[in-house]
């Protein structure tokens, strides 16, 4: 195998099993998870609680050293971890927990990369709309040598064509990761909707949803954590880079499916069309929020080829995978359902994406004149 795997993955896992099954004397391990100062990286650390938390309210605040996560501000490097969403831990099993946290600075204001805080306020404001999201997370497996997993060391696999939704050792690279991640999500309580092999070999997708409001970001971030953690066990890496391989290879996006209650009901297509009209007037602002670097990552992906639209233009269409917004064919036929925003990059922050979609489609008025491009 050309791709190299990490040293820790070569440790004897049978030894690990002996210790994982030891009784815990009534204690619970709680792993706190948060987004670091890059806006893409995840960090975690674990502590012992004397009893099993029944809900996130039973988990105390904690803190960490922001100077080691690109999050410190001056000499005040202590950051607060505020538990917001609790899951079962699929690695150390019941009764242990994973808890996603918001990060606050020393002055208890949200950290720069804490987009959940403001997203939550918007989601509260639009609550009566029962806004649902489903996000399709594409990602690419890499060996520790920085080469896509399973690709020949010197050269390239055969051109794209046989890999999407494929089966067979010649076409599907790294399925064990996908299966383990899927099971881990189900065990944890993540709303995972499905999974598939993607167009580029070693590229895969999982979908999260439908999720209402703030739940979308919460579940997707923890699903990403689980993916990185599963990959760690196998000694390989999952990258969310939106265009990991230059040239004639598909990039990786995070298509975002959206509906309000009225879009899902009979005759809902007219509300979908109204939302698309609003989105068309705010293209540049949305592109800014669809990757962590204001479009600078996504510009490598949104070229207008490889099933993408150009980053510079807004377009929409039924069953059109080359448009910014696609109305799925069955939605066009039934005249109700949801639409798909195909622009977000694989490394987007789902809080930033869902917040701007909610703001534009629901909170803004029609004669809004925000930045156009
Ligand atoms: P695609 O055909 O674009 O590949 P997928 O099957 O990969 O679509 O993903 C569909 C996504 O749409 C899933 O995340 C699912 O949760 C989401 N979804 C389904 N129904 C709705 C809805 N009514 N509103 C919002 N999202 C939805
Ligand atoms: Mn999909
Ligand atoms: Mn896809
Ligand atoms: Mn899609």
């Amino acid at each position: 195998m050309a791709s190299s795997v990490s040293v820790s993955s070569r440790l004897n896992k049978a030894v690990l099993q002996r210790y994982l099954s030891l009784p815990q004397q009534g204690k619970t391990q709680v792993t706190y998870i948060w987004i670091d100062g890059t806006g893409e990286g995840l960090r975690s650390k674990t502590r012992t609680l004397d009893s099993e938390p029944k809900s996130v309210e039973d988990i105390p605040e904690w803190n960490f050293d922001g100077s080691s996560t690109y999050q410190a501000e001056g000499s005040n490097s202590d950051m607060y971890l505020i538990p917001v969403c609790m899951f079962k831990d699929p690695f150390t099993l019941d009764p242990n927990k994973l808890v996603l946290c918001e990060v606050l600075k020393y002055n208890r204001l949200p950290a720069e990369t804490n987009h959940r805080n403001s997203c939550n306020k918007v989601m509260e404001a639009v609550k009566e709309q029962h806004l649902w999201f489903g996000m399709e997370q594409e990602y690419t497996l890499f060996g520790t040598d920085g080469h896509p997993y399973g690709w020949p060391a010197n050269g390239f696999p055969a051109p794209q064509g046989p890999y999407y939704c494929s089966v067979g050792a010649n076409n599907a690279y790294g399925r064990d990761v996908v299966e383990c991640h899927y099971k881990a999500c189900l065990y944890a309580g993540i709303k995972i909707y499905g999974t598939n092999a993607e167009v580029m070999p070693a590229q895969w997708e999982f979908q999260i949803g439908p999720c209402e409001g703030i739940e979308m970001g919460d579940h997707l971030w923890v699903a990403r954590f689980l993916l990185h953690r599963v990959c760690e066990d196998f000694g390989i890496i999952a990258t969310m880079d939106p265009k990991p391989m230059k040239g004639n290879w598909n990039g990786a996006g995070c298509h975002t499916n959206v509906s309000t209650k009225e879009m899902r009901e009979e005759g809902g297509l007219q509300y979908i069309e109204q939302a698309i009209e609003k989105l068309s007037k705010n293209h540049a602002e949305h592109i800014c929020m669809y990757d962590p670097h204001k479009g600078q990552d996504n510009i490598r992906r949104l070229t207008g080829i490889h099933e993408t639209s150009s980053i510079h233009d807004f377009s929409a269409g039924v069953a059109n995978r080359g448009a910014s917004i696609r109305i799925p064919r069955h939605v066009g036929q039934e005249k109700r359902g949801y639409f798909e925003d195909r622009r977000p990059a694989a490394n987007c922050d789902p809080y930033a994406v869902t917040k701007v979609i909610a703001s534009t489609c629901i909170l803004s008025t029609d004669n809004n004149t925000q930045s156009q491009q």
Side-chain angles (χ1 to χ4, degrees), residues 132-136 164 191 193 196 198 205-211 255-260 264 321 326 328 337-340 342:
W132 289 5
F133 297 98
M135 294 179 81
E136 306 168 47
Y164 170 73
K191 291 187 174 174
Y193 174 89
N196 60 266
E198 267 305 334
E205 167 179 315
F206 64 86
Q207 304 99 28
I208 302 294
C211 290
H255 299 167
T256 302
N257 300 275
V258 186
S259 65
T260 59
R264 294 187 293 272
R321 289 173 190 269
R326 161 178 158 256
Y338 62 95
F339 66 88
E340 175 191 46
R342 300 176 59 82

Side-chain angles (χ1 to χ4, degrees), residues 4 11 30 47 52 54 57 71 107 114 125 138 151-152 173 220 248 253 267 277 310 320 323 326 348-349 359:
S4 63
L11 294 173
V30 179
R47 73 190 290 189
E52 181 182 351
K54 296 299 170 210
E57 284 77 36
Q71 278 165 312
N107 54 12
N114 176 356
E138 294 178 338
W151 285 34
Y173 299 3
L220 181 52
N248 219 5
E277 174 66 19
S310 161
N320 183 353
R326 161 178 158 256
C348 68
D349 184 328
S359 306

Side-chain angles (χ1 to χ4, degrees), residues 109-327:
L109 291 174
E112 302 310 319
T113 54
N114 176 356
H115 296 291
R116 187 186 189 278
N117 204 273
S118 58
C119 178
N120 202 20
K121 293 187 174 117
V122 171
M123 294 307 170
E124 280 297 314
V126 304
K127 188 161 75 207
E128 317 76 62
Q129 302 280 329
H130 295 284
L131 188 52
W132 289 5
F133 297 98
M135 294 179 81
E136 306 168 47
Q137 177 69 64
E138 294 178 338
Y139 62 94
T140 313
L141 298 176
F142 271 71
T144 50
D145 57 1
H147 205 62
Y149 183 70
W151 285 34
N154 301 302
F156 294 92
Q160 294 183 161
Y163 308 109
Y164 170 73
C165 297
S166 63
V167 62
N170 48 342
N171 292 328
Y173 299 3
R175 190 190 303 276
D176 286 358
V177 168
V178 179
E179 302 286 17
C180 294
H181 175 251
Y182 203 150
K183 293 281 188 183
C185 283
L186 291 176
Y187 182 90
I190 301 279
K191 291 187 174 174
I192 185 164
Y193 174 89
T195 186
N196 60 266
E198 267 305 334
V199 174
M200 182 178 112
Q203 198 168 77
W204 297 84
E205 167 179 315
F206 64 86
Q207 304 99 28
I208 302 294
C211 290
E212 187 161 332
I214 198 69
E215 195 182 41
M216 182 68 251
D218 291 347
H219 281 236
L220 181 52
W221 273 114
V222 176
R224 285 176 177 175
F225 177 84
L226 296 183
L227 178 64
H228 294 308
R229 180 64 186 76
V230 165
C231 282
E232 181 186 321
D233 278 348
F234 285 108
I236 64 175
I237 293 154
T239 177
M240 308 291 159
D241 189 285
K243 190 77 175 186
M245 298 307 284
K246 279 202 204 108
N248 219 5
W249 303 103
N250 273 31
C254 197
H255 299 167
T256 302
N257 300 275
V258 186
S259 65
T260 59
K261 187 164 179 288
E262 56 191 9
M263 291 175 191
R264 294 187 293 272
E265 288 170 354
E266 202 178 333
L269 189 61
Q270 61 169 307
Y271 300 106
I272 292 175
E273 283 163 354
Q274 282 170 17
I276 292 173
E277 174 66 19
K278 288 180 174 184
L279 288 168
S280 74
K281 294 181 181 150
N282 294 277
H283 179 65
E285 187 200 359
H286 278 251
I287 289 296
C288 259
M289 305 309 290
Y290 284 0
D291 73 47
H293 300 104
K294 298 188 181 344
Q296 290 312 299
D297 296 332
N298 221 356
I299 200 166
R300 293 182 279 120
R301 162 181 169 258
L302 292 180
T303 55
I305 51 174
H306 302 117
E307 299 173 61
T308 68
S309 58
S310 161
I311 197 167
H312 304 295
D313 306 313
F314 182 89
S315 57
V318 175
N320 183 353
R321 289 173 190 269
S324 315
I325 306 286
R326 161 178 158 256
I327 297 175

